[in-house]
Amino acid sequence: MEARTPEEKLQALQEFLSAVPKHKGTERLRMQVTRQMAALKKELEERKKKKVGGGEQFFVEKEGDVQLVILGFPGSGKTSLFRCLTGKEEPPGASRKPAPGILAWNGVYFQVVDTPPILSESSSGKLMALARNADALILTIDSTMDVYLQLDSLLKLLDDNRITVEKPKAIVEIEKRATGGVTIIGDLINATTQDVISLLREYNIYHAIVRIQGKATLDDIEEAIFGSYAYKPAVVMLTKVDLLDGNTLKSMAEKLMESTSLPVHLFTSTQCSSLRVEEIASYIFKELDLIKVYTRNPKTGEVEKRPIVIKRGAKVIDVARKIHSDLYKNFKYARIWSPRLVFSPQKVGRDFQLEDGDIIEIVA
Ligand SMILES: Nc1nc2c(ncn2[C@@H]2O[C@H](COP(=O)(O)OP(=O)(O)OP(=O)(O)O)[C@@H](O)[C@H]2O)c(=O)[nH]1
Ligand SMILES: [Mg+2]
């Protein structure tokens, strides 16, 4: 889990695999490791190939609260959408490298990334790495071309790269910590906390926060240790809708919505106001299970306009940690303002669980 580069990951997996005893009980595990190693090797090979051609900077450093990557086939309207979302001008014509811009929503900063087009399955490695690193995706579908072919191809490509846009029954995140034992936030099925602790111990994980959305089995937790499938919430953007007549568009949109569980939006870049920013942003925010917490300055009583964006289930101490290590180390108590409380402010301890919209003042 600490390995950062593909090279380090490959080496760590190699070492791990040679340490796993070979018997029936470890079969699944060994297969999983072997599969992951194969994927890493492929990634490394592709990278080598690209280097020969003088690799351009492709990776986009995350900034803001949520990174939203636009993906689509050539000329499907990615850059036009990007311009409407961020107000930032990008040079017209075929995009050659990713470009970041900012979309602000309720004080939350979405970093929107325009990308070069998907040209073929074999050349899409870098784009898929970009998608894997993103928090969420927008898939542009050109309404003047075969929309099903585009959507199916995009979804297949993502799936081949172990990226899913369908919300899994359980989403498990394992955050390793230096101390504190194992904390489980969320629900298990057919397993106890002790089972999870034992499982993690098998992988030499002794301190961790295990966050579960939905209900997780032990298998789900084991998958999460390997990070095998990544869930990226996505919206489908049907573009260039000004080029279709009303009835054609209506029946196309209806059929497309029936064929996918993803939200489908209609968009024309001739009118940026056709973008339903509120719906898109709030959907992604909700799917990512994030909340907004507003900090209050104890000296001035002023409430920050820009919220702290944090995972649902976060406690007061998690917010303190996110703001500054000193606030975390010297934490005394916090005061919370919220209409959900019987009275505000309420004085609370480090383990008080926060909700969306809470105002918090930390005293250290
Ligand atoms: N009529 C109309 N034309 C559009 C719309 N969106 C994009 N176009 C045109 O379609 C062409 C491609 O649009 P882009 O936004 O550059 O598409 P892209 O996906 O970024 O293209 P690549 O970077 O080459 O993959 C341009 O000529 C745009 O002017 C739209 O909503 N309506
Ligand atoms: Mg473009």
Side-chain angles (χ1 to χ4, degrees):
M1 286 175 103
E2 269 151 25
R4 302 203 68 91
T5 64
E7 288 90 347
E8 278 173 23
K9 280 188 189 145
L10 196 57
Q11 165 124 34
L13 284 170
Q14 186 82 62
E15 279 164 20
F16 179 75
L17 190 61
S18 55
V20 177
K22 278 195 189 132
H23 57 75
K24 195 102 187 81
T26 61
E27 203 166 2
R28 223 176 76 89
L29 168 64
R30 279 182 287 125
M31 250 189 21
Q32 209 159 17
V33 176
T34 315
R35 233 189 297 142
Q36 204 169 5
M37 285 173 62
L40 280 168
K41 275 181 196 153
K42 197 172 143 207
E43 191 182 325
L44 281 173
E45 263 166 37
E46 244 159 53
R47 205 177 275 194
K48 243 185 242 156
K49 262 190 250 159
K50 298 278 150 59
K51 279 238 176 78
V52 180
E56 275 172 280
Q57 181 61 34
F58 221 79
F59 179 74
V60 179
E61 191 81 44
K62 274 191 189 178
E63 272 171 34
D65 302 307
V66 176
Q67 193 189 59
L68 192 53
V69 166
I70 303 174
L71 284 182
F73 291 106
S76 58
K78 295 178 293 302
T79 303
S80 305
L81 171 66
F82 172 82
R83 287 163 63 172
C84 278
L85 281 170
T86 64
K88 193 172 159 186
E89 287 298 321
E90 268 298 305
S95 309
R96 306 219 31 220
K97 57 178 192 190
I102 292 284
L103 165 72
W105 167 76
N106 287 346
V108 177
Y109 283 41
F110 285 82
Q111 181 190 40
V112 183
V113 182
D114 184 23
T115 61
I118 294 167
L119 296 172
S120 69
E121 199 188 312
S122 59
S123 68
S124 60
K126 283 204 275 188
L127 280 169
M128 289 300 112
L130 214 57
R132 180 165 270 274
N133 190 52
D135 297 309
L137 307 172
I138 296 188
L139 309 177
T140 53
I141 305 289
D142 186 338
S143 65
T144 66
M145 313 275 269
D146 186 336
V147 294
Y148 301 102
L149 182 64
Q150 292 172 76
L151 185 58
D152 289 349
S153 316
L154 278 175
L155 294 180
K156 177 165 186 309
L157 188 61
L158 289 167
D159 194 67
D160 288 346
N161 286 274
R162 294 172 300 145
I163 298 169
T164 175
V165 295
E166 301 280 346
K167 192 165 198 158
K169 282 194 206 76
I171 300 174
V172 181
E173 273 180 2
I174 300 174
E175 187 186 326
K176 278 224 285 182
R177 291 276 168 96
T179 56
V182 172
T183 308
I184 299 173
I185 302 172
D187 296 329
L188 295 163
I189 17 175
N190 300 330
T192 63
T193 304
Q194 196 50 49
D195 295 337
V196 175
I197 292 174
S198 312
L199 176 70
L200 291 177
R201 204 168 276 166
E202 281 176 38
Y203 294 100
N204 287 326
I205 300 169
Y206 299 95
H207 308 286
I209 295 184
V210 180
R211 286 199 185 80
I212 303 169
Q213 288 178 52
K215 289 187 172 152
T217 61
L218 267 190
D219 278 353
D220 295 330
I221 306 240
E222 192 163 8
E223 290 254 324
I225 295 173
F226 290 96
S228 50
Y229 251 95
Y231 167 57
K232 306 292 169 185
V235 298
V236 172
M237 194 63 70
L238 193 59
T239 60
K240 311 187 190 177
V241 295
D242 57 293
L243 297 176
L244 301 187
D245 75 72
N247 287 333
T248 315
L249 178 62
K250 191 159 170 276
S251 76
M252 176 192 282
E254 274 168 10
K255 274 198 215 131
L256 194 61
M257 281 176 202
E258 263 167 40
S259 77
T260 173
S261 60
L262 301 178
V264 177
H265 288 261
L266 310 187
F267 169 65
T268 163
S269 64
T270 56
Q271 222 181 331
C272 284
S273 61
S274 64
L275 267 181
R276 304 223 176 141
V277 173
E278 170 63 32
E279 273 176 44
I280 297 167
S282 58
Y283 172 79
I284 289 167
F285 204 74
K286 193 180 110 246
E287 288 301 301
L288 289 172
D289 221 21
L290 296 170
I291 59 169
K292 308 184 284 303
V293 175
Y294 299 84
T295 53
R296 186 179 187 275
N297 185 322
K299 291 200 186 87
T300 64
E302 227 171 285
V303 177
E304 267 308 319
K305 283 202 187 61
R306 190 171 168 191
I308 305 261
V309 173
I310 199 159
K311 279 269 173 195
R312 184 175 300 282
K315 295 172 177 173
V316 160
I317 195 68
D318 298 318
V319 171
R321 187 188 284 115
K322 194 152 184 177
I323 299 171
H324 201 281
S325 60
D326 284 351
L327 266 191
Y328 169 68
K329 273 186 243 144
N330 306 322
F331 179 85
K332 281 207 192 102
Y333 63 89
R335 296 199 294 164
I336 308 287
W337 284 256
S338 167
R340 75 190 163 98
L341 301 172
V342 181
F343 58 90
S344 290
Q346 185 178 321
K347 192 171 158 180
V348 301
R350 50 185 290 142
D351 288 334
F352 183 81
Q353 196 168 322
L354 294 158
E355 298 265 352
D356 189 54
D358 283 358
I359 296 172
I360 179 172
E361 184 181 282
I362 295 173
V363 179

